Amino acid sequence: MAVTTHRSVCPYDCPDACGLLVQVEDGRAVAVAGDPEHPFTRGALCPKMNRYQDTVHHPERLTTPLRRTGPKGTGAFAPVPWDEALAEITERWKSIIARHGAEAILPYSYAGTMGLVQRNAGHAFFHRLGASRLDRTICSPAKDAGWSLVMGSTPAPSPDACAASDLILLWGINAAATNVHGLHAVREAKRRGAQVWLVDTYVHATAPLCDRVVLVRPGTDGALALGVLHLLDRLGLCDEAFLAAHVQGAAELREHILPEYPPERVAALTGVPEATLHELAEAYGRARDPHLRPGNGLSRYGNGAMTLRTLACLPAFVGAYAKPGGGAFASTSTGQAFPLHRITREDLLPGPVRTINMNRLGWALTELSDPPVASLYVYHSNPAAVAPDQNTVLRGLAREDLFTVVHERFLTDTALWADLILPATTSLEHADLYRSYGTYCIQRARPVVPPVGQSRSNWEVFQGLARAMGFTEAVFEHSADDLIEALLSASHPWREGLDRTRLEAGFAVELDPRRDPFRFETPSGKVEVLNPRDAEPLPSYVPPHSAHDPHPLQLLTAPAVQALNSTFHEREELRRRMGAMALQLNPAEAAARGVKDGDPVTAFNGLGEVAFTLKVTDKVPTGVAVAEGVWWRRFAPGNRTVNALTSQRLTDRGGGSTFYDNRVDVRAGWPLTP
Ligand SMILES: Nc1nc2c(c(=O)[nH]1)N[C@H]1C(S)=C(S)[C@@H](COP(=O)(O)OP(=O)(O)OC[C@H]3O[C@@H](n4cnc5c(=O)[nH]c(N)nc54)[C@H](O)[C@@H]3O)O[C@H]1N2
Ligand SMILES: Nc1nc2c(c(=O)[nH]1)N[C@H]1C(S)=C(S)[C@@H](COP(=O)(O)OP(=O)(O)OC[C@H]3O[C@@H](n4cnc5c(=O)[nH]c(N)nc54)[C@H](O)[C@@H]3O)O[C@H]1N2
Ligand code: SF4
Ligand SMILES: [Mo]
């Protein structure tokens, strides 16, 4: 049988959005490699996506709709035809609507796939239905909110621009895990003599690439940034010409805020020694083209938006925003280049409906009333694993009176609790248009293998549900390809001059954000260190939520190298490389608790208890515990995973998650969790 090669895209929630070359033989993907013609990812893949064919053709793929045949959560299911499954869902929904109204139905989705069509596939349907709306704020809305208070909608530079920098500041980012190709330009800069600094909370996989690693007390980066600004000012390292011409409020920050952040106080707040603080300020202030690369982790605290807002001031004070290799890269907001409303169809809403913050799913399922959530429809998300406060989420999912439908590729922790499971295609089986939050590339992907079993794409399922509900709007008749055309047909300045032929041929092509280094897209046209429209016009330091929690260890639930949130745990070889579900502690913290490397331990707080295998390492400072990865419960020693320890509290702005803003203690042994 002949082998053919096809272009595709990595569909996952990763800033890189790699181009793929997929080899297909007899309707099966047999090999997946990086596309050397992709302008940003240049032919390399991360360890997760090598052997993507093993996910696509995994023996545990869900291949038919399944109906629950035993008690909830026990995994007893039997196959049911698609028509019956869709009819059952819509009949149950019609009776729920008759009793409680459509707001008693809650969709729950996030980023199992990043394609514009499949990711947003449920919006038109649920808007038309009048279901409760979901505020999709689990990832980094506080980062965006804080950053844009200072920078407005100013486009980020190219992610490769930092190759021309002489000082790169990786701030709260484990790029070796989460932005592998972002390191290409960092390595290039290093070859040209740049210094790379990492400001983080523990020494992780990216640290070996860095010349200096500064460990900061979790959630105190805002104070650290103000301390650097204080010293830049004191040492005369500010770019006064840039400040005068392009920054609003530098004088006010200098007068009202910076005097409160002398090195002694900042060292006490952040745990960063005064000498290191001086070195950091000197390095940053004296660099020719200093480049700041903030991650998302530091925004997942009660003060997350304020932290990012403070960080955004740093390049302004040294004039770096106008320098070729300098400035900052927070993310590329490429969604704006497409008329998404043509897919999401808010105009179909029957009237005002309530909005539920996805980080408060546990609360919504267990406490919300008038109407209660009577049905939950989950697609391309795994909230039983990824949502905070797992014990409350599981209590909600266990409710006998909750009708739960899960559209998935695998029997995830969430699918286990479903009344009906619908089998989903992978990205190699459906069409989509991809953008990225870490590059300006866009790429169109066509199906390269037929659907595995009876699996259907998100969009096909919502078309089927719309039909079964009797919805007659034309949008539900359109194919995924029609929707892609609708996204590409309306013009947008960033897409002017885009090579459509190349896009149609499956190659990645780049949007042009028309960036002018001296134009800031804010109401004043300047970098808004002072934002007069905000209740707090100037940035300052506010402590995180957990500052008031008496448990002794800050819990960092950081990304794992071999997984992507709860995705990829289906792959045995990746699980093997990850080893046991580990909690990392400093030797002094382990000794104080009488536990040693490899011991079974339990991390606990007021929300729950989670069993881990202890890893003792001096890469983690005292006062911190690190648990990398969002595991599936079946691979956890105690039937609970890290989110049994994280709270439903939100960020200061944006309604974001606070996954890192939790504290725990640790004791020897494993609990007998049911
Ligand atoms: N391999 C892998 N890749 C991924 C993911 C994954 O889970 N695994 N997740 C994907 C997703 S959904 C996202 S949103 C992206 C980006 O995900 P992000 O959350 O941006 O990930 P990182 O920024 O790399 O990692 C967070 C870093 O922040 C650090 N950190 C936490 N708290 C603080 C703090 O208070 N101060 C400082 N200075 N640092 C802190 C952590 O130690 C960690 O190194 O990655 C994507 N890519
Ligand atoms: N403790 C802790 N929790 C976290 C994080 C953390 O750092 N620490 N990170 C948070 C972040 S940043 C994010 S973005 C969220 C991510 O949360 P989610 O978006 O829920 O991400 P995943 O865990 O990757 O789960 C996605 C699921 O979608 C399925 N899927 C993939 N493609 C398709 C498809 O086309 N159709 C359908 N129907 N299903 C599909 C996959 O099989 C997978 O089970 O997790 C958050 N949770
Ligand atoms: S997960 Fe990220 S780095 Fe890995 S292949 Fe996908 S886009 Fe590339
Ligand atoms: Mo995320």
Side-chain angles (χ1 to χ4, degrees), residues 141-191:
K143 181 183 187 182
D144 301 337
W147 196 260
S148 61
L149 277 173
V150 180
M151 297 301 286
S153 55
T154 308
S158 152
D160 285 331
C162 70
S165 169
D166 58 336
L167 178 93
I168 297 176
L169 209 46
L170 301 174
W171 199 313
I173 181 166
N174 184 0
T178 61
N179 186 202
V180 181
H181 301 86
L183 290 179
H184 183 87
V186 175
R187 290 202 179 86
E188 176 61 26
K190 268 189 82 117
R191 264 193 296 276

Side-chain angles (χ1 to χ4, degrees), residues 252-506:
E252 287 86 344
L253 194 78
R254 280 169 154 158
E255 185 185 342
H256 301 296
I257 306 291
L258 295 188
E260 292 172 37
Y261 296 91
E264 343 37 285
R265 177 166 182 238
V266 169
L269 284 170
T270 63
V272 176
E274 278 186 56
T276 309
L277 192 59
H278 269 98
E279 288 167 323
L280 175 60
E282 291 265 357
Y284 191 69
R286 296 195 190 284
R288 181 194 71 237
D289 277 317
H291 182 92
L292 172 67
R293 176 78 173 89
N296 302 345
L298 64 168
S299 74
R300 297 191 186 114
Y301 288 82
N303 59 5
M306 187 59 99
T307 297
L308 267 296
R309 185 177 176 188
T310 313
L311 256 64
C313 297
L314 285 169
F317 273 75
V318 295
Y321 281 123
K323 295 181 176 173
F329 185 91
S331 77
T332 54
S333 314
T334 44
Q336 62 184 283
F338 301 94
L340 267 182
H341 63 273
R342 292 185 174 191
I343 294 186
T344 57
R345 295 300 302 270
E346 289 200 19
D347 58 300
L348 297 180
L349 275 167
V353 294
R354 69 181 175 189
T355 299
I356 293 170
N357 185 305
M358 70 188 301
N359 298 307
R360 305 202 65 215
L361 178 66
W363 166 84
L365 293 181
T366 55
E367 289 187 45
L368 186 62
S369 56
D370 202 19
V373 176
S375 179
L376 178 72
Y377 183 96
V378 181
Y379 55 117
H380 77 120
S381 183
N382 185 11
V386 302
D389 196 358
Q390 185 174 60
N391 285 313
T392 307
V393 172
L394 292 177
R395 207 151 42 79
L397 291 174
R399 267 175 47 203
E400 279 302 329
D401 62 337
L402 179 72
F403 175 59
T404 304
V405 182
V406 178
H407 184 208
E408 248 300 344
R409 309 175 312 168
F410 293 100
L411 190 62
T412 57
D413 288 0
T414 309
L416 264 176
W417 292 92
D419 296 288
L420 276 169
I421 302 177
L422 307 175
T425 43
T426 69
S427 62
L428 295 191
E429 300 149 56
H430 57 236
D432 219 327
L433 178 68
Y434 294 86
R435 63 156 195 113
S436 153
Y437 57 96
T439 83
Y440 285 103
C441 293
I442 68 167
Q443 200 171 347
R444 182 170 185 167
R446 295 192 165 76
V448 300
V449 294
V452 168
Q454 299 174 29
S455 61
R456 293 187 186 171
S457 73
N458 292 357
W459 178 246
E460 288 170 315
V461 174
F462 285 109
Q463 287 186 298
L465 287 169
R467 232 171 278 128
M469 284 302 295
F471 295 166
T472 53
E473 286 77 7
V475 61
F476 299 117
E477 299 302 320
H478 295 331
S479 66
D481 281 316
D482 295 336
L483 298 181
I484 293 171
E485 287 304 325
L487 290 177
L488 288 170
S489 58
S491 68
H492 187 277
W494 291 16
R495 280 190 283 111
E496 265 170 39
L498 190 108
D499 188 341
R500 254 319 269 278
T501 316
R502 208 168 155 77
L503 182 73
E504 295 307 330

Side-chain angles (χ1 to χ4, degrees), residues 25 79 103 110 138 200 240 246 287 291 330 341 348 375 398 402 453 466 508 562 566 589 602 611:
E25 185 177 11
E103 280 182 316
Y110 198 64
I138 203 166
D200 210 293
E240 300 301 337
H246 300 293
H291 182 92
H341 63 273
L348 297 180
S375 179
L402 179 72
Q562 314 285 354
S566 78
E589 299 288 5
T602 299

Side-chain angles (χ1 to χ4, degrees), residues 13 29 64 162 182 191 248 360 386 473 520 526 618 670-671:
D13 188 354
T64 67
C162 70
R191 264 193 296 276
Q248 169 172 292
R360 305 202 65 215
V386 302
E473 286 77 7
F520 298 97
K526 296 184 173 188
D618 56 12
W670 283 344

